[in-house]
Amino acid sequence: MAWAAALSVALSCVFIANASAAGAGPTGPEPANLFADPGFEGADLSAWKVYDYESDYEGNPRAARVSLDAETYMSGTQSVRIEVWDDDDVRVMQTVAVEPESFYLISCWVRLSGVGQGRAGVNISSERGLQRSKGFVGTNGEWRPLSVYGRTDKGQTSATITIGLGGYGSVNVGTCWIDDASMVKVDSVPDGADVIDIFVADGKEVMVTTALDRVMSVIGICASLAVLTLAFVMARKGHGRPKEAMEARARRLADGTSVDDEAVKSTEDGAEAGDGDGIGPPAEVEVAGSAAPEAAHAPASVDASVAAAESGGPEAGTRPERIEAKPKRRGRGDADGSRMTRTDCALMLALTAVYAFIALFNLGGHSSPTSFWKSTSVTDSFVVDFGEVTEVTRFLYHVGIMRGSERDGTYRLEYRDVETGRYEHLAQIDKKSFFKWGIIDLEVTTDRIKVTTPKRGLALNEIGFFGGGDKERPLPIVITDIRVVDSAFGTPLRLIDEQGTLVYDPTYMHHTYFDEVYFPRTAYEHLNRLPIYEVTHPPLGKVIMASGIAAFGMNPFGWRIMGTLFGIMMTPLMYLFGKKLFKGTFLAFCVCFIFTFDFMHFTQTRLATIDSYSVFFIILMYYFMFDYYVRRPQDLGLRRSLTPLLLSGLAFGLGAASKWIVLYGAGGLVFIYFLTMYLNARDYREVRREAPETPWLRRFLAKHVFAASGMSVIFFIVIPAVIYALSYIPYAMVEGEARGLAEIVVENQKYMFGYHANLTATHSYGSMWYTWPAMVRPIWYYSGPRVGDLRSSIVAFGNPLVWWVGFAAFIVAVYVAYRKRDKVMAFVFAAMVFQYLPWMVVTRVVFIYHFFSFVPFMAICIVYLIKCLMERFPGVRPRHVAVYLALVLLAFAVYYPVLSGMYVPGGYIEALKLLPSWSF
């Protein structure tokens, strides 16, 4: 942290020095304007390219028109005119040569007429860039200067600059004129000036050519199939030697220590059959004369004699002289360290508590306006009275949920001219992101503002005004002259009953950001039996989110808390998973620690989307599936062997009802299930041939094949289907809904499939699957209002010491585990492949956060290699591994500001960008 602070101070000094030098007066020739035809004086727009979203992407050429205007101009003989009649994003753009790591002043003159308020007005940006200058939405019919500073990136040689009405994700209406565009190189940027990145699309396209995508998909699919093949070989070879296993079982039968179904049934209540994690027979078998250090880590069902033989001990390759069966002691733990100890519980709870504090800190505000008013007639109006003539500089409004049949609307603001007494046009409010504050900067002095309704239907939760230089308290107002035809949705007085929720510069603490505009709204609709807005994903995740809103209110904390709690619960779950896999306290702690302090785990679970629930259930369903994979049904009995399948099926059903990505993981469950069945059947054949009198052989096919298969259909198809269907109950509870539950479910599945299959939209932060491990393109979720040089950002990407190390560890672990024929890692690799393989054939736009479900297993791969190093090199001790863990934690601390939205100097954020393609 100290180096970043020092860097920020140094950069600030450089900026101040440059600004001082710039203010000393010109020292050379005036810099050249990089734009060709900057005054739009040519016979056509050949020097400029026109971007028209409705025409280019929606096939609607009648929404807007771009032309040269010889009657209205700032200088010269003409300007360019952009006319937008239907919501559209229309800009003129030009590509210019630039120098890397430089600053440019981009400016023009603009004039507007009838431009909608509350959306992107006339602004300057870069092609496919999410950053744009402050825009104009009204100029009172006069020409106004518009400018912003642009920053280029390392190695950048060109930039495509756009000027126009609208922007990425925002459309508008109205007419604007643009003239005298200019782009000149400057040595520095004045303090407090607006700066945007102008390199998002220049050489940084992540959605690369189709040919390369296809080649990478072929390579990825082949590599995935190869890993699955190796996993099968590892499981088959590491499952034990059937002959030795048969002989060991025969000896136990002869000694009266049978573990068939009858013996299991007579087991003392509460005692576990098998060792602590269900691996092997229920008796602790001590092998005399063998002290093989790896015996405790032998594959699940391998008898102790086989473990000793395969571990390279003194009796390797021969049968041990003596086998002693000791009864399992109730509640005393087990020999291989798989049971949770007091130390385990203390470490797990301590780490969970630390992470919970970090995750819940500044999660979101606890207050947000909820009472609303919606106009029902185009004649509705009211007047905001300030009580005296007041300078008004900012207007804020909070958009609520649409209710009733109208789901759109417009309000017009008119201010009273204090000299003439007439009302003049001031601004216009249109639909904006829900539960988000809209901001309109004003320059008006008046005592009254009249609000009318050109188009009914827009629901507002609160409005407020700031002025007189006071940014701490909104102006006191009263609402008078109310003329409302129908008060079914309240009166305009509701718009000023929660003035305490107003802040001059709202941040993520006060409203929604990124995809939160979809899911919290739908959760709120579930609670209030309103028509459902977001129907592109199954309902359960939003139903869970609704429970947080019910408990804490419709505010940022309320709609984020449940996802964050599921993120917190991932920490102890990963500890338990690590303990189950590696049978040791230190290694379990490592698995938990590495995953806990991954960036994606923190950022994605604090965002009110449904990924927290789906990833949690993915981890949980594999956690239970591992028990079935390593427990032999003939040792445990039917009931005990099916219990993990039931729990895994429940987790699968809950996850699938939250998000479809869990269905991808189902492929891994199917692979592991049939692999386990194959291994058990192989043992059955061997034992039947060598020891046909073994009692459990007579019941194996009936109970452990046919009955188990039938129950698996119930666990993984019937029960999940019921859970999935029941999650749609909130749809059926919508007031006025006439369809039955079955019809609702079927129709929504058709819609979801069609939506995702046919989605052709692009996104500036979209990225291909093969770029995710390298973190080529993080997602910039949020950029807060700047406070001087201080900036606030929230970015979704991984901890480099987890993702870069983890993916390399995955590749190395495949080789090492194959050499060792490690059955446990065969399970892990199968789970990983099916979390990644489906994205190799998806053609719609995808994002780096889809890699989130892969991250828990990367942490496991890292710890597996740590385990192998500690076994191979006795000099590698836990204190050496602790250095790596400390670096993981340090990276999390250093990047915490851009993961949490904390305000820090802009220079600090710039220093965090390790790759040229990182934009935040």
Side-chain angles (χ1 to χ4, degrees), residues 59-88:
N60 178 16
R62 299 183 179 181
R65 179 175 62 191
V66 179
S67 60
L68 295 172
D69 191 336
E71 297 182 357
T72 304
Y73 47 84
M74 176 63 190
S75 66
T77 60
Q78 58 188 16
S79 66
V80 63
R81 178 174 62 193
I82 298 176
E83 300 170 273
V84 181
W85 305 293
D86 193 4
D87 285 346
D88 202 353

PDB file of all heavy atoms in Angstrom, residues 59-88:
ATOM      1  N   GLY A  59     -32.367  -2.677 -37.331  1.00  0.00           N
ATOM      2  CA  GLY A  59     -33.038  -2.671 -38.623  1.00  0.00           C
ATOM      3  C   GLY A  59     -34.134  -1.631 -38.757  1.00  0.00           C
ATOM      4  O   GLY A  59     -35.075  -1.802 -39.537  1.00  0.00           O
ATOM      5  N   ASN A  60     -34.022  -0.532 -38.008  1.00  0.00           N
ATOM      6  CA  ASN A  60     -35.033   0.524 -38.055  1.00  0.00           C
ATOM      7  C   ASN A  60     -34.385   1.807 -38.575  1.00  0.00           C
ATOM      8  O   ASN A  60     -33.873   2.613 -37.793  1.00  0.00           O
ATOM      9  CB  ASN A  60     -35.626   0.747 -36.663  1.00  0.00           C
ATOM     10  CG  ASN A  60     -36.650   1.868 -36.640  1.00  0.00           C
ATOM     11  OD1 ASN A  60     -37.141   2.290 -37.693  1.00  0.00           O
ATOM     12  ND2 ASN A  60     -36.966   2.349 -35.442  1.00  0.00           N
ATOM     13  N   PRO A  61     -34.404   2.051 -39.888  1.00  0.00           N
ATOM     14  CA  PRO A  61     -33.720   3.232 -40.438  1.00  0.00           C
ATOM     15  C   PRO A  61     -34.505   4.522 -40.267  1.00  0.00           C
ATOM     16  O   PRO A  61     -34.011   5.591 -40.636  1.00  0.00           O
ATOM     17  CB  PRO A  61     -33.586   2.858 -41.918  1.00  0.00           C
ATOM     18  CG  PRO A  61     -34.769   1.994 -42.195  1.00  0.00           C
ATOM     19  CD  PRO A  61     -34.993   1.210 -40.937  1.00  0.00           C
ATOM     20  N   ARG A  62     -35.704   4.468 -39.703  1.00  0.00           N
ATOM     21  CA  ARG A  62     -36.559   5.650 -39.611  1.00  0.00           C
ATOM     22  C   ARG A  62     -36.542   6.294 -38.228  1.00  0.00           C
ATOM     23  O   ARG A  62     -37.308   7.205 -37.964  1.00  0.00           O
ATOM     24  CB  ARG A  62     -37.990   5.277 -39.980  1.00  0.00           C
ATOM     25  CG  ARG A  62     -38.131   4.747 -41.407  1.00  0.00           C
ATOM     26  CD  ARG A  62     -39.585   4.454 -41.733  1.00  0.00           C
ATOM     27  NE  ARG A  62     -39.719   3.963 -43.108  1.00  0.00           N
ATOM     28  CZ  ARG A  62     -40.880   3.637 -43.677  1.00  0.00           C
ATOM     29  NH1 ARG A  62     -42.005   3.758 -42.979  1.00  0.00           N
ATOM     30  NH2 ARG A  62     -40.917   3.202 -44.922  1.00  0.00           N
ATOM     31  N   ALA A  63     -35.700   5.803 -37.351  1.00  0.00           N
ATOM     32  CA  ALA A  63     -35.663   6.355 -35.999  1.00  0.00           C
ATOM     33  C   ALA A  63     -34.903   7.669 -35.931  1.00  0.00           C
ATOM     34  O   ALA A  63     -35.136   8.477 -35.029  1.00  0.00           O
ATOM     35  CB  ALA A  63     -35.048   5.351 -35.030  1.00  0.00           C
ATOM     36  N   ALA A  64     -33.970   7.892 -36.868  1.00  0.00           N
ATOM     37  CA  ALA A  64     -33.125   9.078 -36.788  1.00  0.00           C
ATOM     38  C   ALA A  64     -32.624   9.460 -38.182  1.00  0.00           C
ATOM     39  O   ALA A  64     -32.696   8.671 -39.131  1.00  0.00           O
ATOM     40  CB  ALA A  64     -31.948   8.837 -35.849  1.00  0.00           C
ATOM     41  N   ARG A  65     -32.077  10.677 -38.270  1.00  0.00           N
ATOM     42  CA  ARG A  65     -31.485  11.140 -39.521  1.00  0.00           C
ATOM     43  C   ARG A  65     -30.293  12.029 -39.206  1.00  0.00           C
ATOM     44  O   ARG A  65     -30.356  12.867 -38.289  1.00  0.00           O
ATOM     45  CB  ARG A  65     -32.505  11.918 -40.355  1.00  0.00           C
ATOM     46  CG  ARG A  65     -31.948  12.454 -41.674  1.00  0.00           C
ATOM     47  CD  ARG A  65     -33.045  13.114 -42.490  1.00  0.00           C
ATOM     48  NE  ARG A  65     -33.602  14.269 -41.788  1.00  0.00           N
ATOM     49  CZ  ARG A  65     -34.722  14.893 -42.188  1.00  0.00           C
ATOM     50  NH1 ARG A  65     -35.401  14.438 -43.235  1.00  0.00           N
ATOM     51  NH2 ARG A  65     -35.177  15.934 -41.505  1.00  0.00           N
ATOM     52  N   VAL A  66     -29.201  11.867 -39.949  1.00  0.00           N
ATOM     53  CA  VAL A  66     -28.009  12.689 -39.795  1.00  0.00           C
ATOM     54  C   VAL A  66     -27.772  13.415 -41.119  1.00  0.00           C
ATOM     55  O   VAL A  66     -27.711  12.781 -42.188  1.00  0.00           O
ATOM     56  CB  VAL A  66     -26.780  11.839 -39.423  1.00  0.00           C
ATOM     57  CG1 VAL A  66     -25.548  12.723 -39.288  1.00  0.00           C
ATOM     58  CG2 VAL A  66     -27.032  11.069 -38.136  1.00  0.00           C
ATOM     59  N   SER A  67     -27.634  14.739 -41.070  1.00  0.00           N
ATOM     60  CA  SER A  67     -27.483  15.518 -42.299  1.00  0.00           C
ATOM     61  C   SER A  67     -26.667  16.771 -42.025  1.00  0.00           C
ATOM     62  O   SER A  67     -26.418  17.134 -40.866  1.00  0.00           O
ATOM     63  CB  SER A  67     -28.859  15.903 -42.861  1.00  0.00           C
ATOM     64  OG  SER A  67     -29.576  16.693 -41.920  1.00  0.00           O
ATOM     65  N   LEU A  68     -26.253  17.454 -43.082  1.00  0.00           N
ATOM     66  CA  LEU A  68     -25.575  18.742 -42.975  1.00  0.00           C
ATOM     67  C   LEU A  68     -26.624  19.846 -43.009  1.00  0.00           C
ATOM     68  O   LEU A  68     -27.597  19.775 -43.756  1.00  0.00           O
ATOM     69  CB  LEU A  68     -24.569  18.915 -44.108  1.00  0.00           C
ATOM     70  CG  LEU A  68     -23.387  17.936 -44.101  1.00  0.00           C
ATOM     71  CD1 LEU A  68     -22.575  18.073 -45.380  1.00  0.00           C
ATOM     72  CD2 LEU A  68     -22.504  18.174 -42.885  1.00  0.00           C
ATOM     73  N   ASP A  69     -26.429  20.878 -42.185  1.00  0.00           N
ATOM     74  CA  ASP A  69     -27.399  21.961 -42.070  1.00  0.00           C
ATOM     75  C   ASP A  69     -26.704  23.280 -42.408  1.00  0.00           C
ATOM     76  O   ASP A  69     -25.810  23.736 -41.690  1.00  0.00           O
ATOM     77  CB  ASP A  69     -27.965  22.009 -40.648  1.00  0.00           C
ATOM     78  CG  ASP A  69     -29.159  22.942 -40.526  1.00  0.00           C
ATOM     79  OD1 ASP A  69     -29.279  23.862 -41.347  1.00  0.00           O
ATOM     80  OD2 ASP A  69     -29.969  22.729 -39.603  1.00  0.00           O
ATOM     81  N   ALA A  70     -27.142  23.892 -43.498  1.00  0.00           N
ATOM     82  CA  ALA A  70     -26.542  25.159 -43.951  1.00  0.00           C
ATOM     83  C   ALA A  70     -27.251  26.365 -43.363  1.00  0.00           C
ATOM     84  O   ALA A  70     -26.882  27.504 -43.676  1.00  0.00           O
ATOM     85  CB  ALA A  70     -26.563  25.222 -45.477  1.00  0.00           C
ATOM     86  N   GLU A  71     -28.253  26.147 -42.511  1.00  0.00           N
ATOM     87  CA  GLU A  71     -28.987  27.258 -41.916  1.00  0.00           C
ATOM     88  C   GLU A  71     -28.625  27.493 -40.454  1.00  0.00           C
ATOM     89  O   GLU A  71     -28.796  28.596 -39.942  1.00  0.00           O
ATOM     90  CB  GLU A  71     -30.493  26.996 -42.032  1.00  0.00           C
ATOM     91  CG  GLU A  71     -30.992  26.926 -43.468  1.00  0.00           C
ATOM     92  CD  GLU A  71     -32.485  26.704 -43.528  1.00  0.00           C
ATOM     93  OE1 GLU A  71     -33.117  26.556 -42.450  1.00  0.00           O
ATOM     94  OE2 GLU A  71     -33.034  26.672 -44.652  1.00  0.00           O
ATOM     95  N   THR A  72     -28.146  26.481 -39.789  1.00  0.00           N
ATOM     96  CA  THR A  72     -27.787  26.590 -38.377  1.00  0.00           C
ATOM     97  C   THR A  72     -26.343  26.148 -38.207  1.00  0.00           C
ATOM     98  O   THR A  72     -26.002  25.001 -38.508  1.00  0.00           O
ATOM     99  CB  THR A  72     -28.707  25.716 -37.503  1.00  0.00           C
ATOM    100  OG1 THR A  72     -30.065  26.079 -37.741  1.00  0.00           O
ATOM    101  CG2 THR A  72     -28.389  25.898 -36.028  1.00  0.00           C
ATOM    102  N   TYR A  73     -25.491  27.039 -37.721  1.00  0.00           N
ATOM    103  CA  TYR A  73     -24.082  26.697 -37.547  1.00  0.00           C
ATOM    104  C   TYR A  73     -23.447  27.672 -36.571  1.00  0.00           C
ATOM    105  O   TYR A  73     -23.951  28.777 -36.344  1.00  0.00           O
ATOM    106  CB  TYR A  73     -23.332  26.717 -38.883  1.00  0.00           C
ATOM    107  CG  TYR A  73     -23.609  27.944 -39.726  1.00  0.00           C
ATOM    108  CD1 TYR A  73     -22.907  29.139 -39.517  1.00  0.00           C
ATOM    109  CD2 TYR A  73     -24.575  27.911 -40.722  1.00  0.00           C
ATOM    110  CE1 TYR A  73     -23.166  30.264 -40.280  1.00  0.00           C
ATOM    111  CE2 TYR A  73     -24.846  29.026 -41.494  1.00  0.00           C
ATOM    112  CZ  TYR A  73     -24.144  30.215 -41.274  1.00  0.00           C
ATOM    113  OH  TYR A  73     -24.417  31.331 -42.027  1.00  0.00           O
ATOM    114  N   MET A  74     -22.317  27.254 -36.004  1.00  0.00           N
ATOM    115  CA  MET A  74     -21.581  28.092 -35.079  1.00  0.00           C
ATOM    116  C   MET A  74     -20.625  29.014 -35.825  1.00  0.00           C
ATOM    117  O   MET A  74     -20.490  30.191 -35.515  1.00  0.00           O
ATOM    118  CB  MET A  74     -20.804  27.211 -34.079  1.00  0.00           C
ATOM    119  CG  MET A  74     -19.921  27.984 -33.112  1.00  0.00           C
ATOM    120  SD  MET A  74     -20.898  29.072 -32.045  1.00  0.00           S
ATOM    121  CE  MET A  74     -19.575  30.034 -31.283  1.00  0.00           C
ATOM    122  N   SER A  75     -19.953  28.462 -36.821  1.00  0.00           N
ATOM    123  CA  SER A  75     -19.050  29.244 -37.664  1.00  0.00           C
ATOM    124  C   SER A  75     -19.006  28.588 -39.032  1.00  0.00           C
ATOM    125  O   SER A  75     -19.502  27.474 -39.233  1.00  0.00           O
ATOM    126  CB  SER A  75     -17.652  29.315 -37.036  1.00  0.00           C
ATOM    127  OG  SER A  75     -17.054  28.030 -37.016  1.00  0.00           O
ATOM    128  N   GLY A  76     -18.393  29.254 -39.971  1.00  0.00           N
ATOM    129  CA  GLY A  76     -18.344  28.702 -41.311  1.00  0.00           C
ATOM    130  C   GLY A  76     -19.685  28.826 -42.004  1.00  0.00           C
ATOM    131  O   GLY A  76     -20.405  29.834 -41.864  1.00  0.00           O
ATOM    132  N   THR A  77     -20.067  27.781 -42.732  1.00  0.00           N
ATOM    133  CA  THR A  77     -21.309  27.838 -43.518  1.00  0.00           C
ATOM    134  C   THR A  77     -22.309  26.735 -43.182  1.00  0.00           C
ATOM    135  O   THR A  77     -23.445  26.783 -43.645  1.00  0.00           O
ATOM    136  CB  THR A  77     -20.977  27.744 -45.016  1.00  0.00           C
ATOM    137  OG1 THR A  77     -20.308  26.492 -45.277  1.00  0.00           O
ATOM    138  CG2 THR A  77     -20.082  28.903 -45.460  1.00  0.00           C
ATOM    139  N   GLN A  78     -21.896  25.725 -42.359  1.00  0.00           N
ATOM    140  CA  GLN A  78     -22.841  24.665 -42.034  1.00  0.00           C
ATOM    141  C   GLN A  78     -22.356  23.878 -40.825  1.00  0.00           C
ATOM    142  O   GLN A  78     -21.218  24.024 -40.370  1.00  0.00           O
ATOM    143  CB  GLN A  78     -23.055  23.730 -43.222  1.00  0.00           C
ATOM    144  CG  GLN A  78     -21.805  23.053 -43.747  1.00  0.00           C
ATOM    145  CD  GLN A  78     -22.058  22.289 -45.034  1.00  0.00           C
ATOM    146  OE1 GLN A  78     -23.058  22.471 -45.714  1.00  0.00           O
ATOM    147  NE2 GLN A  78     -21.130  21.408 -45.385  1.00  0.00           N
ATOM    148  N   SER A  79     -23.239  23.045 -40.310  1.00  0.00           N
ATOM    149  CA  SER A  79     -22.941  22.158 -39.189  1.00  0.00           C
ATOM    150  C   SER A  79     -23.565  20.805 -39.493  1.00  0.00           C
ATOM    151  O   SER A  79     -24.239  20.630 -40.513  1.00  0.00           O
ATOM    152  CB  SER A  79     -23.509  22.726 -37.883  1.00  0.00           C
ATOM    153  OG  SER A  79     -24.931  22.747 -37.938  1.00  0.00           O
ATOM    154  N   VAL A  80     -23.357  19.829 -38.613  1.00  0.00           N
ATOM    155  CA  VAL A  80     -24.013  18.537 -38.763  1.00  0.00           C
ATOM    156  C   VAL A  80     -25.209  18.498 -37.809  1.00  0.00           C
ATOM    157  O   VAL A  80     -25.112  18.942 -36.661  1.00  0.00           O
ATOM    158  CB  VAL A  80     -23.057  17.361 -38.482  1.00  0.00           C
ATOM    159  CG1 VAL A  80     -22.566  17.371 -37.047  1.00  0.00           C
ATOM    160  CG2 VAL A  80     -23.710  16.026 -38.803  1.00  0.00           C
ATOM    161  N   ARG A  81     -26.329  18.020 -38.319  1.00  0.00           N
ATOM    162  CA  ARG A  81     -27.557  17.952 -37.528  1.00  0.00           C
ATOM    163  C   ARG A  81     -27.954  16.492 -37.317  1.00  0.00           C
ATOM    164  O   ARG A  81     -28.007  15.707 -38.271  1.00  0.00           O
ATOM    165  CB  ARG A  81     -28.691  18.695 -38.230  1.00  0.00           C
ATOM    166  CG  ARG A  81     -30.025  18.619 -37.471  1.00  0.00           C
ATOM    167  CD  ARG A  81     -31.078  19.479 -38.135  1.00  0.00           C
ATOM    168  NE  ARG A  81     -31.357  19.022 -39.491  1.00  0.00           N
ATOM    169  CZ  ARG A  81     -32.056  19.729 -40.385  1.00  0.00           C
ATOM    170  NH1 ARG A  81     -32.517  20.928 -40.053  1.00  0.00           N
ATOM    171  NH2 ARG A  81     -32.263  19.245 -41.595  1.00  0.00           N
ATOM    172  N   ILE A  82     -28.233  16.135 -36.072  1.00  0.00           N
ATOM    173  CA  ILE A  82     -28.704  14.793 -35.718  1.00  0.00           C
ATOM    174  C   ILE A  82     -30.136  14.924 -35.210  1.00  0.00           C
ATOM    175  O   ILE A  82     -30.378  15.595 -34.202  1.00  0.00           O
ATOM    176  CB  ILE A  82     -27.809  14.148 -34.640  1.00  0.00           C
ATOM    177  CG1 ILE A  82     -26.376  13.983 -35.162  1.00  0.00           C
ATOM    178  CG2 ILE A  82     -28.373  12.800 -34.206  1.00  0.00           C
ATOM    179  CD1 ILE A  82     -25.411  13.437 -34.115  1.00  0.00           C
ATOM    180  N   GLU A  83     -31.070  14.310 -35.908  1.00  0.00           N
ATOM    181  CA  GLU A  83     -32.474  14.324 -35.520  1.00  0.00           C
ATOM    182  C   GLU A  83     -32.885  12.909 -35.110  1.00  0.00           C
ATOM    183  O   GLU A  83     -32.735  11.975 -35.894  1.00  0.00           O
ATOM    184  CB  GLU A  83     -33.353  14.788 -36.674  1.00  0.00           C
ATOM    185  CG  GLU A  83     -33.027  16.187 -37.171  1.00  0.00           C
ATOM    186  CD  GLU A  83     -33.756  16.508 -38.466  1.00  0.00           C
ATOM    187  OE1 GLU A  83     -33.228  16.176 -39.542  1.00  0.00           O
ATOM    188  OE2 GLU A  83     -34.860  17.086 -38.394  1.00  0.00           O
ATOM    189  N   VAL A  84     -33.395  12.757 -33.907  1.00  0.00           N
ATOM    190  CA  VAL A  84     -33.817  11.456 -33.389  1.00  0.00           C
ATOM    191  C   VAL A  84     -35.291  11.541 -33.008  1.00  0.00           C
ATOM    192  O   VAL A  84     -35.664  12.329 -32.136  1.00  0.00           O
ATOM    193  CB  VAL A  84     -32.976  11.037 -32.166  1.00  0.00           C
ATOM    194  CG1 VAL A  84     -33.420   9.673 -31.666  1.00  0.00           C
ATOM    195  CG2 VAL A  84     -31.495  11.011 -32.517  1.00  0.00           C
ATOM    196  N   TRP A  85     -36.138  10.758 -33.677  1.00  0.00           N
ATOM    197  CA  TRP A  85     -37.573  10.778 -33.412  1.00  0.00           C
ATOM    198  C   TRP A  85     -38.017   9.635 -32.503  1.00  0.00           C
ATOM    199  O   TRP A  85     -38.972   9.767 -31.773  1.00  0.00           O
ATOM    200  CB  TRP A  85     -38.341  10.687 -34.752  1.00  0.00           C
ATOM    201  CG  TRP A  85     -37.926  11.762 -35.701  1.00  0.00           C
ATOM    202  CD1 TRP A  85     -38.146  13.094 -35.559  1.00  0.00           C
ATOM    203  CD2 TRP A  85     -37.198  11.594 -36.916  1.00  0.00           C
ATOM    204  NE1 TRP A  85     -37.603  13.788 -36.625  1.00  0.00           N
ATOM    205  CE2 TRP A  85     -37.015  12.890 -37.477  1.00  0.00           C
ATOM    206  CE3 TRP A  85     -36.687  10.487 -37.605  1.00  0.00           C
ATOM    207  CZ2 TRP A  85     -36.351  13.097 -38.674  1.00  0.00           C
ATOM    208  CZ3 TRP A  85     -36.022  10.697 -38.791  1.00  0.00           C
ATOM    209  CH2 TRP A  85     -35.853  11.981 -39.319  1.00  0.00           C
ATOM    210  N   ASP A  86     -37.321   8.507 -32.588  1.00  0.00           N
ATOM    211  CA  ASP A  86     -37.638   7.354 -31.755  1.00  0.00           C
ATOM    212  C   ASP A  86     -36.370   6.996 -30.983  1.00  0.00           C
ATOM    213  O   ASP A  86     -35.266   7.115 -31.518  1.00  0.00           O
ATOM    214  CB  ASP A  86     -38.083   6.172 -32.627  1.00  0.00           C
ATOM    215  CG  ASP A  86     -38.719   5.061 -31.812  1.00  0.00           C
ATOM    216  OD1 ASP A  86     -38.869   5.250 -30.602  1.00  0.00           O
ATOM    217  OD2 ASP A  86     -39.056   4.022 -32.399  1.00  0.00           O
ATOM    218  N   ASP A  87     -36.515   6.562 -29.733  1.00  0.00           N
ATOM    219  CA  ASP A  87     -35.345   6.315 -28.879  1.00  0.00           C
ATOM    220  C   ASP A  87     -34.196   5.680 -29.659  1.00  0.00           C
ATOM    221  O   ASP A  87     -34.337   4.607 -30.245  1.00  0.00           O
ATOM    222  CB  ASP A  87     -35.728   5.386 -27.724  1.00  0.00           C
ATOM    223  CG  ASP A  87     -36.547   6.114 -26.666  1.00  0.00           C
ATOM    224  OD1 ASP A  87     -36.590   7.352 -26.695  1.00  0.00           O
ATOM    225  OD2 ASP A  87     -37.155   5.436 -25.817  1.00  0.00           O
ATOM    226  N   ASP A  88     -33.036   6.337 -29.645  1.00  0.00           N
ATOM    227  CA  ASP A  88     -31.916   5.870 -30.456  1.00  0.00           C
ATOM    228  C   ASP A  88     -30.616   6.401 -29.877  1.00  0.00           C
ATOM    229  O   ASP A  88     -30.607   7.326 -29.056  1.00  0.00           O
ATOM    230  CB  ASP A  88     -32.098   6.337 -31.907  1.00  0.00           C
ATOM    231  CG  ASP A  88     -31.307   5.487 -32.904  1.00  0.00           C
ATOM    232  OD1 ASP A  88     -30.519   4.626 -32.458  1.00  0.00           O
ATOM    233  OD2 ASP A  88     -31.493   5.679 -34.112  1.00  0.00           O
TER     234      ASP A  88
END
